[in-house]
Coordinates of all heavy atoms in Angstrom, one line a residue:
M1 N -15.9 -3.2 -29.6 CA -16.4 -2.8 -28.2 C -16.9 -1.4 -28.3 O -16.5 -0.5 -29.1 CB -15.2 -2.8 -27.3 CG -15.6 -2.7 -25.9 SD -14.3 -2.5 -24.7 CE -13.4 -3.9 -25.0
A2 N -18.3 -1.2 -27.7 CA -18.8 0.2 -27.8 C -18.0 1.2 -27.2 O -17.2 1.0 -26.4 CB -20.2 0.1 -27.1
N3 N -18.0 2.4 -27.9 CA -17.1 3.4 -27.4 C -17.3 3.9 -26.0 O -16.3 4.1 -25.3 CB -17.4 4.8 -28.4 CG -15.9 5.1 -28.9 OD1 -14.9 4.6 -28.7 ND2 -16.0 6.3 -29.5
G4 N -18.6 4.0 -25.5 CA -18.7 4.2 -24.0 C -18.1 3.3 -23.1 O -17.4 3.7 -22.2
K5 N -18.0 2.0 -23.4 CA -17.5 0.9 -22.6 C -16.0 1.1 -22.7 O -15.2 0.8 -21.6 CB -17.9 -0.5 -23.1 CG -17.6 -1.4 -22.1 CD -18.1 -2.8 -22.4 CE -17.7 -3.8 -21.4 NZ -18.1 -5.2 -21.7
A6 N -15.4 1.3 -23.9 CA -14.0 1.5 -23.9 C -13.5 2.6 -23.1 O -12.5 2.4 -22.5 CB -13.6 1.7 -25.4
L7 N -14.2 3.7 -23.1 CA -13.7 4.9 -22.4 C -13.8 4.6 -20.8 O -13.0 4.9 -20.0 CB -14.7 6.1 -22.7 CG -14.4 7.4 -21.9 CD1 -13.1 7.9 -22.4 CD2 -15.6 8.4 -22.2
K8 N -14.9 3.8 -20.5 CA -15.0 3.4 -19.0 C -13.8 2.6 -18.6 O -13.3 2.7 -17.6 CB -16.3 2.4 -18.8 CG -17.5 3.4 -18.3 CD -18.7 2.4 -17.9 CE -20.0 3.1 -18.3 NZ -21.0 2.2 -18.6
L9 N -13.4 1.4 -19.6 CA -12.4 0.6 -19.1 C -11.1 1.3 -19.1 O -10.2 1.2 -18.2 CB -12.2 -0.4 -20.3 CG -12.7 -1.8 -19.8 CD1 -12.8 -2.7 -21.0 CD2 -11.8 -2.4 -18.7
W10 N -10.9 2.3 -20.0 CA -9.6 3.2 -20.1 C -9.5 3.9 -18.7 O -8.5 4.0 -18.1 CB -9.7 4.1 -21.2 CG -8.6 5.0 -21.4 CD1 -8.6 6.4 -21.1 CD2 -7.2 4.8 -21.6 NE1 -7.4 7.0 -21.2 CE2 -6.5 6.0 -21.4 CE3 -6.5 3.6 -21.9 CZ2 -5.0 6.1 -21.8 CZ3 -5.1 3.7 -22.1 CH2 -4.4 5.0 -21.9
T11 N -10.6 4.6 -18.5 CA -10.7 5.4 -17.1 C -10.4 4.5 -16.0 O -9.6 4.9 -15.0 CB -12.0 6.1 -16.9 OG1 -12.4 6.7 -18.2 CG2 -12.0 7.1 -15.9
V12 N -10.9 3.4 -15.9 CA -10.9 2.4 -14.7 C -9.4 1.9 -14.7 O -8.7 2.0 -13.6 CB -11.7 1.2 -14.7 CG1 -11.3 0.1 -13.8 CG2 -13.2 1.6 -14.4
N13 N -8.8 1.7 -15.9 CA -7.4 1.3 -15.9 C -6.5 2.4 -15.6 O -5.5 2.1 -14.8 CB -7.1 0.8 -17.4 CG -7.7 -0.5 -17.7 OD1 -8.4 -1.1 -16.9 ND2 -7.8 -0.8 -19.0
V14 N -6.7 3.5 -15.9 CA -5.7 4.6 -15.5 C -5.8 4.9 -14.0 O -4.7 5.0 -13.4 CB -6.1 6.0 -16.4 CG1 -5.3 7.2 -15.8 CG2 -5.7 5.7 -17.9
I15 N -7.0 5.0 -13.5 CA -7.3 5.1 -12.0 C -6.5 4.1 -11.2 O -5.8 4.2 -10.4 CB -8.6 5.4 -11.7 CG1 -9.2 6.8 -12.3 CG2 -8.8 5.4 -10.2 CD1 -10.7 6.8 -12.1
S16 N -6.7 2.8 -11.7 CA -6.1 1.6 -11.1 C -4.5 1.7 -11.1 O -3.8 1.5 -10.1 CB -6.5 0.3 -11.8 OG -7.8 0.1 -11.9
F17 N -4.0 2.2 -12.2 CA -2.5 2.4 -12.4 C -2.1 3.4 -11.3 O -1.1 3.1 -10.7 CB -2.2 2.7 -13.8 CG -0.7 2.9 -14.0 CD1 0.2 1.7 -13.8 CD2 -0.2 4.2 -14.1 CE1 1.5 1.8 -14.0 CE2 1.2 4.2 -14.3 CZ 2.1 3.2 -14.3
V18 N -2.7 4.6 -11.3 CA -2.3 5.7 -10.3 C -2.4 5.1 -8.9 O -1.4 5.3 -8.1 CB -3.2 6.9 -10.6 CG1 -2.9 7.8 -9.5 CG2 -3.1 7.4 -11.9
L19 N -3.4 4.3 -8.6 CA -3.6 3.8 -7.1 C -2.4 2.8 -6.9 O -1.9 2.9 -5.9 CB -5.0 3.1 -7.1 CG -6.1 4.1 -6.9 CD1 -7.4 3.3 -7.1 CD2 -6.1 4.9 -5.8
F20 N -2.1 2.0 -7.9 CA -1.0 1.0 -7.8 C 0.3 1.7 -7.5 O 1.2 1.3 -6.6 CB -1.0 0.1 -9.0 CG 0.2 -0.9 -9.0 CD1 0.1 -1.9 -8.1 CD2 1.3 -0.9 -9.8 CE1 1.1 -2.9 -8.1 CE2 2.3 -1.7 -9.8 CZ 2.2 -2.7 -9.0
I21 N 0.5 2.8 -8.3 CA 1.8 3.6 -8.0 C 1.9 4.2 -6.7 O 2.8 4.1 -6.0 CB 1.9 4.7 -9.2 CG1 2.0 4.1 -10.5 CG2 3.2 5.5 -8.8 CD1 3.2 3.2 -10.8
I22 N 0.7 4.7 -6.1 CA 0.6 5.2 -4.8 C 0.9 4.2 -3.7 O 1.6 4.3 -2.8 CB -0.8 5.9 -4.5 CG1 -0.9 7.1 -5.3 CG2 -1.0 6.3 -3.1 CD1 -2.4 7.7 -5.3
L23 N 0.3 2.9 -4.0 CA 0.5 1.8 -3.2 C 1.9 1.4 -3.1 O 2.5 1.1 -2.1 CB -0.4 0.5 -3.6 CG -1.9 0.6 -3.2 CD1 -2.6 -0.4 -4.0 CD2 -2.0 0.4 -1.7
C24 N 2.6 1.2 -4.3 CA 4.0 0.9 -4.3 C 4.9 2.0 -3.5 O 5.7 1.7 -2.7 CB 4.4 0.8 -5.7 SG 3.8 -0.5 -6.7
G25 N 4.7 3.2 -3.8 CA 5.3 4.3 -3.2 C 5.2 4.3 -1.7 O 6.2 4.2 -1.0
T26 N 4.0 4.4 -1.2 CA 3.8 4.5 0.3 C 4.2 3.2 0.9 O 4.8 3.3 2.0 CB 2.3 4.8 0.7 OG1 1.4 3.8 -0.1 CG2 1.9 6.1 0.2
G27 N 4.0 2.0 0.3 CA 4.4 0.8 0.9 C 5.9 0.7 1.1 O 6.5 0.3 2.2
L28 N 6.6 1.0 0.0 CA 8.0 0.8 -0.1 C 8.7 1.8 0.8 O 9.7 1.6 1.5 CB 8.5 0.8 -1.6 CG 8.2 -0.4 -2.5 CD1 8.6 -0.2 -3.7 CD2 8.7 -1.7 -1.8
I29 N 8.2 3.1 0.7 CA 8.8 4.1 1.6 C 8.6 3.8 3.0 O 9.7 3.9 3.9 CB 8.2 5.6 1.2 CG1 8.7 6.0 0.0 CG2 8.7 6.5 2.4 CD1 8.0 7.3 -0.6
N30 N 7.5 3.4 3.5 CA 7.3 3.1 4.8 C 8.2 1.7 5.2 O 8.7 1.8 6.4 CB 5.9 2.6 5.0 CG 5.2 3.9 5.9 OD1 5.8 4.8 6.2 ND2 4.0 3.7 6.0
W31 N 8.4 0.9 4.4 CA 9.1 -0.2 4.7 C 10.6 -0.2 4.6 O 11.3 -0.4 5.7 CB 8.7 -1.4 3.6 CG 9.6 -2.7 3.7 CD1 10.0 -3.4 5.1 CD2 10.0 -3.6 2.8 NE1 10.5 -4.6 4.9 CE2 10.7 -4.6 3.3 CE3 9.8 -3.4 1.4 CZ2 11.2 -5.7 2.7 CZ3 10.4 -4.5 0.7 CH2 11.0 -5.6 1.3
L32 N 11.1 0.6 3.6 CA 12.6 0.8 3.4 C 13.2 2.0 3.8 O 14.4 2.1 3.9 CB 12.9 0.4 2.0 CG 12.5 -1.0 1.4 CD1 12.6 -1.0 0.0 CD2 13.3 -2.0 2.2
V33 N 12.5 3.3 3.9 CA 13.0 4.4 4.0 C 12.7 5.0 5.5 O 13.7 5.3 6.2 CB 12.5 5.5 3.1 CG1 13.3 6.9 3.2 CG2 12.9 5.0 1.6
L34 N 11.5 5.0 6.0 CA 11.2 5.8 7.2 C 11.7 4.9 8.3 O 11.4 3.8 8.4 CB 9.7 6.0 7.3 CG 9.2 7.1 6.3 CD1 7.7 7.4 6.4 CD2 9.9 8.5 6.4
P35 N 12.3 5.6 9.3 CA 12.6 4.9 10.5 C 11.4 4.5 11.3 O 10.3 5.0 11.2 CB 13.4 6.0 11.3 CG 12.9 7.3 10.8 CD 12.5 7.0 9.4
R36 N 11.6 3.4 12.0 CA 10.5 2.8 12.9 C 10.6 3.3 14.5 O 11.8 3.4 14.9 CB 10.4 1.3 12.9 CG 10.0 0.9 11.5 CD 10.4 -0.6 11.3 NE 10.4 -1.0 9.8 CZ 9.2 -1.3 9.3 NH1 8.2 -1.4 9.9 NH2 9.2 -1.7 8.0
G37 N 9.5 3.2 15.1 CA 9.6 3.3 16.6 C 10.5 4.4 17.1 O 10.4 5.5 16.7
Y38 N 11.3 4.1 18.1 CA 12.3 5.0 18.8 C 13.3 5.5 17.9 O 13.8 6.6 18.2 CB 12.8 4.3 20.0 CG 11.8 4.2 21.1 CD1 11.5 2.9 21.5 CD2 11.3 5.3 21.9 CE1 10.5 2.6 22.6 CE2 10.4 5.1 22.8 CZ 9.9 3.9 23.2 OH 9.0 3.8 24.2
Q39 N 13.5 4.9 16.8 CA 14.5 5.4 15.8 C 14.1 6.7 15.2 O 14.8 7.6 14.8 CB 14.7 4.5 14.6 CG 15.5 3.2 14.9 CD 15.5 2.4 13.6 OE1 14.4 2.1 13.3 NE2 16.7 2.0 13.2
A40 N 12.7 6.8 15.0 CA 12.2 8.1 14.6 C 11.8 9.2 15.6 O 10.9 9.6 16.0 CB 10.9 8.0 13.8
R41 N 13.1 9.8 16.0 CA 12.9 10.7 16.9 C 12.3 12.0 16.2 O 12.6 12.4 15.2 CB 14.3 11.2 17.6 CG 15.0 10.0 18.6 CD 16.3 10.4 18.9 NE 17.1 9.2 19.1 CZ 17.9 8.7 18.2 NH1 18.0 9.1 17.0 NH2 18.4 7.6 18.4
G42 N 11.5 12.7 16.9 CA 10.8 13.9 16.5 C 9.5 13.6 15.8 O 9.3 12.4 15.3
D43 N 8.5 14.6 15.8 CA 7.1 14.2 15.5 C 7.0 14.0 14.0 O 6.2 13.2 13.5 CB 6.2 15.5 15.9 CG 6.1 15.5 17.3 OD1 6.4 14.4 18.0 OD2 5.9 16.5 17.9
F44 N 7.8 14.8 13.1 CA 7.6 14.7 11.7 C 7.6 13.4 11.1 O 6.6 13.0 10.4 CB 8.4 15.9 11.0 CG 8.3 15.7 9.6 CD1 7.1 16.3 9.0 CD2 9.2 15.2 8.7 CE1 6.7 16.3 7.7 CE2 8.9 15.3 7.3 CZ 7.8 15.8 6.9
L45 N 8.7 12.7 11.2 CA 8.7 11.3 10.6 C 7.8 10.3 11.0 O 7.3 9.5 10.4 CB 10.2 10.7 10.9 CG 11.2 11.5 10.1 CD1 12.6 10.8 10.4 CD2 11.1 11.6 8.6
V46 N 7.3 10.5 12.4 CA 6.2 9.6 12.9 C 5.0 10.1 12.2 O 4.2 9.1 11.8 CB 6.1 9.8 14.5 CG1 5.0 9.0 15.0 CG2 7.4 9.4 15.1
S47 N 4.6 11.2 12.0 CA 3.5 11.8 11.4 C 3.5 11.3 10.0 O 2.5 10.9 9.5 CB 3.3 13.1 11.4 OG 3.4 13.7 12.9
L48 N 4.7 11.5 9.3 CA 4.8 11.0 8.0 C 4.4 9.6 7.8 O 3.7 9.1 6.9 CB 6.1 11.4 7.4 CG 6.3 11.3 5.8 CD1 5.5 12.4 5.3 CD2 7.7 11.7 5.5
R49 N 4.9 8.7 8.7 CA 4.7 7.3 8.6 C 3.2 7.0 8.7 O 2.6 6.3 7.9 CB 5.5 6.5 9.6 CG 5.1 5.1 9.9 CD 6.1 4.4 10.9 NE 7.3 4.0 10.4 CZ 7.4 2.9 9.6 NH1 6.3 2.1 9.4 NH2 8.6 2.5 9.1
H50 N 2.6 7.7 9.8 CA 1.2 7.5 9.9 C 0.4 7.9 8.8 O -0.5 7.2 8.4 CB 0.8 8.1 11.2 CG 1.3 7.4 12.5 ND1 0.8 7.7 13.7 CD2 2.1 6.4 12.6 CE1 1.4 6.9 14.7 NE2 2.2 6.1 13.9
F51 N 0.8 9.0 8.2 CA 0.1 9.6 7.0 C 0.3 8.6 5.8 O -0.8 8.2 5.3 CB 0.6 10.9 6.6 CG 0.1 11.4 5.3 CD1 -1.2 11.8 5.2 CD2 1.0 11.5 4.2 CE1 -1.7 12.3 3.9 CE2 0.5 11.8 2.9 CZ -0.9 12.4 2.8
F52 N 1.3 8.0 5.6 CA 1.6 7.1 4.6 C 0.8 5.7 4.8 O 0.3 5.1 3.9 CB 3.1 6.7 4.3 CG 3.8 7.7 3.5 CD1 5.2 7.9 3.6 CD2 3.2 8.7 2.7 CE1 5.8 8.8 2.8 CE2 3.8 9.7 2.0 CZ 5.2 9.7 2.0
I53 N 0.8 5.2 6.1 CA 0.1 4.1 6.4 C -1.5 4.2 6.1 O -2.0 3.4 5.5 CB 0.2 3.6 7.9 CG1 1.6 3.0 8.1 CG2 -0.8 2.6 8.3 CD1 2.0 2.8 9.5
A54 N -2.1 5.4 6.5 CA -3.4 5.7 6.2 C -3.6 5.9 4.7 O -4.7 5.2 4.1 CB -3.8 7.0 7.0
L55 N -2.7 6.5 4.0 CA -2.8 6.7 2.5 C -2.8 5.3 1.9 O -3.5 5.0 0.9 CB -1.7 7.6 2.0 CG -1.9 8.0 0.6 CD1 -3.0 8.9 0.3 CD2 -0.6 9.0 0.2
H56 N -1.8 4.4 2.3 CA -1.7 3.1 1.8 C -2.9 2.3 2.0 O -3.5 1.6 0.9 CB -0.5 2.3 2.4 CG -0.1 1.2 1.9 ND1 0.7 1.1 0.8 CD2 -0.4 -0.2 2.1 CE1 1.0 0.0 0.5 NE2 0.4 -1.0 1.3
E57 N -3.5 2.3 3.3 CA -4.7 1.5 3.5 C -6.0 2.0 2.6 O -6.8 1.2 2.0 CB -5.1 1.6 5.0 CG -4.0 0.8 5.8 CD -4.1 0.9 7.2 OE1 -4.9 1.9 7.7 OE2 -3.5 0.2 8.1
W58 N -6.1 3.2 2.5 CA -7.3 3.9 1.8 C -7.2 3.6 0.3 O -8.1 3.2 -0.4 CB -7.5 5.3 2.2 CG -8.2 5.5 3.4 CD1 -7.7 5.9 4.5 CD2 -9.5 5.2 3.6 NE1 -8.7 5.9 5.6 CE2 -9.8 5.4 5.1 CE3 -10.7 4.6 2.8 CZ2 -11.0 5.3 5.7 CZ3 -11.9 4.5 3.6 CH2 -12.1 4.7 4.9
A59 N -5.8 3.8 -0.2 CA -5.6 3.6 -1.5 C -5.8 2.0 -1.8 O -6.4 1.7 -3.0 CB -4.1 3.9 -2.0
G60 N -5.4 1.1 -0.9 CA -5.6 -0.3 -1.0 C -7.1 -0.6 -1.3 O -7.4 -1.4 -2.1
L61 N -7.9 0.0 -0.3 CA -9.4 -0.3 -0.4 C -10.0 0.2 -1.8 O -10.7 -0.6 -2.4 CB -10.1 0.5 0.7 CG -11.5 0.1 1.1 CD1 -11.6 -1.3 1.6 CD2 -11.9 1.1 2.1
V62 N -9.6 1.4 -2.3 CA -10.2 2.0 -3.5 C -9.7 1.0 -4.6 O -10.4 0.8 -5.5 CB -9.8 3.4 -3.6 CG1 -10.3 3.9 -4.9 CG2 -10.4 4.2 -2.4
F63 N -8.4 0.6 -4.4 CA -7.7 -0.2 -5.6 C -8.5 -1.5 -5.7 O -8.8 -2.0 -6.8 CB -6.4 -0.5 -5.2 CG -5.5 -1.2 -6.3 CD1 -5.2 -0.7 -7.5 CD2 -5.0 -2.6 -5.9 CE1 -4.5 -1.4 -8.4 CE2 -4.3 -3.3 -6.8 CZ -4.1 -2.6 -8.1
I64 N -9.0 -2.2 -4.7 CA -9.7 -3.4 -4.6 C -11.0 -3.1 -5.4 O -11.5 -3.9 -6.3 CB -9.9 -3.9 -3.3 CG1 -8.6 -4.3 -2.7 CG2 -11.0 -5.0 -3.2 CD1 -8.8 -4.7 -1.1
I65 N -11.7 -2.0 -5.1 CA -13.0 -1.6 -5.8 C -12.8 -1.4 -7.3 O -13.5 -2.0 -8.1 CB -13.6 -0.4 -5.2 CG1 -13.9 -0.7 -3.6 CG2 -14.7 0.2 -6.0 CD1 -14.4 0.6 -2.8
F66 N -11.6 -0.7 -7.7 CA -11.3 -0.5 -9.1 C -11.1 -1.9 -9.9 O -11.4 -2.1 -11.0 CB -10.4 0.5 -9.2 CG -11.0 1.9 -9.4 CD1 -11.3 2.6 -8.2 CD2 -11.4 2.4 -10.6 CE1 -12.0 3.8 -8.3 CE2 -12.0 3.7 -10.6 CZ -12.2 4.4 -9.3
I67 N -10.4 -2.7 -9.1 CA -10.0 -4.1 -9.8 C -11.3 -4.8 -10.0 O -11.4 -5.5 -11.0 CB -9.0 -4.8 -8.8 CG1 -7.6 -4.1 -9.0 CG2 -8.7 -6.2 -9.5 CD1 -7.1 -3.7 -10.4
T68 N -12.2 -4.8 -9.0 CA -13.5 -5.4 -9.1 C -14.3 -4.8 -10.3 O -14.8 -5.6 -11.2 CB -14.3 -5.4 -7.8 OG1 -13.5 -5.7 -6.8 CG2 -15.7 -6.1 -8.0
L69 N -14.3 -3.5 -10.5 CA -14.9 -2.9 -11.6 C -14.2 -3.3 -12.9 O -15.0 -3.6 -13.9 CB -14.8 -1.3 -11.5 CG -15.8 -0.5 -10.6 CD1 -15.4 0.9 -10.7 CD2 -17.1 -0.8 -11.2
H70 N -12.9 -3.4 -13.0 CA -12.3 -3.8 -14.1 C -12.8 -5.3 -14.5 O -12.9 -5.5 -15.7 CB -10.8 -3.9 -13.8 CG -9.8 -4.3 -14.9 ND1 -9.2 -3.5 -15.8 CD2 -9.5 -5.6 -15.2 CE1 -8.5 -4.2 -16.6 NE2 -8.6 -5.5 -16.2
I71 N -12.8 -6.2 -13.5 CA -13.2 -7.5 -13.8 C -14.7 -7.5 -14.3 O -14.9 -8.3 -15.2 CB -13.1 -8.3 -12.5 CG1 -11.6 -8.7 -12.3 CG2 -13.7 -9.9 -12.7 CD1 -11.3 -9.3 -11.1
V72 N -15.6 -6.7 -13.7 CA -16.9 -6.6 -14.1 C -17.0 -6.2 -15.5 O -17.9 -6.7 -16.3 CB -17.8 -5.8 -13.2 CG1 -19.1 -5.3 -13.8 CG2 -18.0 -6.3 -11.8
L73 N -16.3 -5.1 -16.0 CA -16.3 -4.6 -17.3 C -15.8 -5.6 -18.3 O -16.3 -5.6 -19.4 CB -15.5 -3.2 -17.4 CG -16.3 -2.1 -16.7 CD1 -15.2 -1.0 -16.6 CD2 -17.4 -1.7 -17.6
H74 N -14.9 -6.4 -17.9 CA -14.4 -7.5 -18.8 C -15.0 -8.8 -18.8 O -14.7 -9.8 -19.4 CB -13.0 -7.7 -18.5 CG -11.8 -6.9 -19.1 ND1 -11.9 -6.7 -20.5 CD2 -11.0 -6.1 -18.6 CE1 -11.0 -5.8 -20.7 NE2 -10.4 -5.4 -19.6
W75 N -16.2 -8.8 -17.8 CA -16.9 -10.2 -17.7 C -17.3 -10.9 -19.0 O -17.1 -12.1 -18.9 CB -18.0 -9.9 -16.6 CG -18.5 -11.2 -16.1 CD1 -19.7 -11.9 -16.3 CD2 -17.7 -12.3 -15.4 NE1 -19.7 -13.1 -15.6 CE2 -18.6 -13.3 -15.1 CE3 -16.4 -12.2 -14.9 CZ2 -18.1 -14.3 -14.4 CZ3 -15.9 -13.3 -14.1 CH2 -16.8 -14.4 -13.9
P76 N -18.0 -10.2 -19.8 CA -18.3 -11.0 -21.0 C -17.1 -11.7 -21.7 O -17.1 -12.9 -22.2 CB -18.9 -9.9 -22.0 CG -19.3 -8.8 -21.1 CD -18.4 -8.8 -20.0
Y77 N -16.0 -11.0 -21.8 CA -14.7 -11.6 -22.3 C -14.4 -12.7 -21.4 O -14.0 -13.9 -22.0 CB -13.8 -10.5 -22.3 CG -12.3 -11.0 -22.9 CD1 -12.0 -11.2 -24.1 CD2 -11.4 -11.2 -21.8 CE1 -10.8 -11.7 -24.5 CE2 -10.1 -11.6 -22.2 CZ -9.9 -11.8 -23.5 OH -8.5 -12.3 -23.8
I78 N -14.3 -12.6 -20.2 CA -13.9 -13.7 -19.3 C -14.8 -14.9 -19.5 O -14.3 -16.0 -19.7 CB -13.9 -13.2 -17.8 CG1 -12.7 -12.1 -17.7 CG2 -13.5 -14.4 -16.9 CD1 -12.8 -11.3 -16.4
K79 N -16.2 -14.7 -19.5 CA -17.0 -15.7 -19.5 C -17.0 -16.4 -21.0 O -17.0 -17.8 -20.9 CB -18.4 -15.1 -19.5 CG -19.5 -16.0 -18.7 CD -20.7 -15.3 -18.3 CE -21.8 -15.5 -19.3 NZ -23.0 -14.8 -19.0
S80 N -16.8 -15.6 -22.0 CA -16.7 -16.4 -23.3 C -15.3 -17.2 -23.4 O -15.4 -18.4 -24.0 CB -16.8 -15.4 -24.4 OG -15.5 -14.8 -24.7
N81 N -14.2 -16.7 -22.8 CA -13.1 -17.7 -22.8 C -13.2 -18.8 -21.8 O -12.7 -20.0 -22.3 CB -12.0 -16.8 -22.2 CG -11.2 -16.1 -23.3 OD1 -10.7 -16.8 -24.3 ND2 -11.1 -14.7 -23.3
L82 N -14.0 -18.6 -20.8 CA -14.1 -19.9 -19.8 C -15.0 -20.9 -20.6 O -14.8 -22.0 -20.5 CB -14.9 -19.4 -18.6 CG -14.0 -18.7 -17.6 CD1 -14.9 -18.1 -16.4 CD2 -12.8 -19.5 -17.0
K83 N -16.0 -20.4 -21.5 CA -16.9 -21.3 -22.3 C -16.0 -22.0 -23.2 O -16.1 -23.2 -23.5 CB -17.9 -20.6 -22.9 CG -19.2 -20.3 -22.1 CD -20.4 -19.7 -22.8 CE -21.5 -19.4 -21.8 NZ -22.4 -18.3 -22.3
K84 N -15.2 -21.2 -24.0 CA -14.4 -21.8 -25.0 C -13.5 -23.0 -24.5 O -13.2 -23.9 -25.1 CB -13.5 -20.6 -25.6 CG -13.8 -20.4 -27.1 CD -12.8 -19.4 -27.7 CE -13.3 -18.0 -27.6 NZ -12.2 -17.0 -28.0
S85 N -12.9 -22.6 -23.3 CA -11.9 -23.6 -22.8 C -12.7 -24.8 -22.0 O -12.0 -25.6 -21.5 CB -10.8 -22.9 -21.9 OG -11.5 -22.2 -20.9
G86 N -14.1 -24.8 -22.0 CA -14.8 -25.8 -21.4 C -14.9 -25.8 -19.9 O -15.3 -26.8 -19.4
I87 N -14.4 -24.8 -19.3 CA -14.5 -24.7 -17.9 C -15.9 -24.5 -17.3 O -16.3 -25.0 -16.3 CB -13.5 -23.6 -17.3 CG1 -12.0 -24.0 -17.6 CG2 -13.6 -23.5 -15.8 CD1 -11.0 -22.9 -17.4
I88 N -16.8 -23.6 -18.1 CA -18.1 -23.5 -17.8 C -18.9 -23.9 -19.1 O -18.5 -23.8 -20.1 CB -18.4 -22.1 -17.2 CG1 -18.1 -21.0 -18.3 CG2 -17.9 -21.9 -15.9 CD1 -18.8 -19.6 -17.9
K89 N -20.2 -24.0 -18.9 CA -21.1 -24.3 -20.1 C -21.7 -23.0 -20.7 O -22.0 -22.2 -20.0 CB -22.0 -25.4 -19.6 CG -21.6 -26.7 -19.7 CD -22.8 -27.8 -19.7 CE -22.3 -29.1 -19.8 NZ -23.3 -30.1 -19.7
Ligands
LIG1 C1 -5.0 -4.0 -2.6 C2 -3.8 -3.6 -2.5 C3 -3.0 -3.5 -1.1 C4 -3.5 -3.5 0.2 C5 -5.0 -3.7 0.7 C6 -2.5 -3.3 1.1 C7 -2.6 -3.2 2.5 C8 -1.6 -3.0 3.4 C9 -1.7 -3.0 4.8 C10 -3.0 -3.0 5.7 C11 -0.5 -2.8 5.3 C12 -0.1 -2.8 6.8 C13 0.0 -1.3 7.1 C14 0.2 -1.0 8.6 O1 1.3 -1.0 9.1 O2 -0.9 -0.7 9.3 C15 0.5 -2.9 4.3 C16 2.0 -2.8 4.2 C17 2.8 -2.8 3.3 N1 2.5 -2.7 2.0 FE1 0.5 -2.9 1.3 N2 -1.3 -3.1 0.3 C18 -1.6 -3.2 -0.9 C19 -0.8 -3.1 -1.9 C20 0.6 -2.9 -1.9 C21 1.5 -2.9 -3.1 C22 1.0 -2.9 -4.6 C23 2.8 -2.8 -2.6 C24 3.9 -2.6 -3.5 C25 5.1 -2.3 -3.2 C26 2.6 -2.8 -1.1 C27 3.6 -2.7 -0.1 C28 3.5 -2.8 1.2 C29 4.7 -2.7 2.1 C30 6.2 -2.8 1.7 C31 4.2 -2.7 3.4 C32 5.0 -2.7 4.7 C33 5.1 -1.3 5.2 C34 5.9 -1.2 6.5 O3 7.0 -1.9 6.6 O4 5.5 -0.5 7.4 N3 1.3 -2.9 -0.8 N4 -0.2 -3.1 3.1

């Protein structure tokens, strides 16, 4: 594999992993740790939940873009495997 492409894939993979960790963190904290609705008396926890929801949603959107880039960069490999297994000509 050409060095430039390997570096691109590595960068896309590292960024995807960081985004995945952010998604797991913000998703699980909001689900399992932070109180909901009237349980969250006081502004701070409500703001924190809203901040994590926004972060989760934007990280999710960017994650989808990076996974698409990952698939595009691997496309020749995916295509050759689909050909080898007879799924496409
Ligand atoms: C492409 C990736 C992802 C997208 C687009 C996405 C999107 C969303 C959205 C839109 C919500 C609802 C937020 C709201 O209340 O408005 C949500 C909730 C949640 N997500 Fe994700 N998510 C992604 C990945 C993940 C991952 C990797 C985890 C791993 C743990 C995760 C865990 C959760 C959990 C636990 C909730 C519920 C939070 C709560 O109870 O309030 N998500 N996600």
Side-chain angles (χ1 to χ4, degrees):
M1 194 187 298
N3 228 5
K5 193 174 178 187
L7 181 67
K8 263 187 217 156
L9 254 171
W10 174 253
T11 311
V12 167
N13 289 351
V14 170
I15 293 173
S16 305
F17 179 70
V18 171
L19 289 166
F20 178 68
I21 297 300
I22 293 173
L23 281 167
C24 294
T26 52
L28 291 175
I29 288 171
N30 257 353
W31 178 34
L32 298 172
V33 181
L34 291 180
R36 293 164 194 271
Y38 286 113
Q39 284 176 309
R41 289 174 212 98
D43 291 335
F44 177 68
L45 291 181
V46 177
S47 304
L48 193 61
R49 164 178 281 281
H50 285 194
F51 172 69
F52 279 162
I53 288 173
L55 192 59
H56 191 81
E57 289 172 347
W58 283 104
L61 192 64
V62 180
F63 185 67
I64 290 170
I65 294 168
F66 272 83
I67 293 306
T68 308
L69 276 177
H70 178 97
I71 291 170
V72 167
L73 286 168
H74 276 304
W75 193 244
Y77 171 80
I78 295 170
K79 218 165 90 179
S80 81
N81 269 306
L82 288 174
K83 271 186 189 159
K84 244 190 262 169
S85 52
I87 295 171
I88 59 168
K89 276 196 179 175

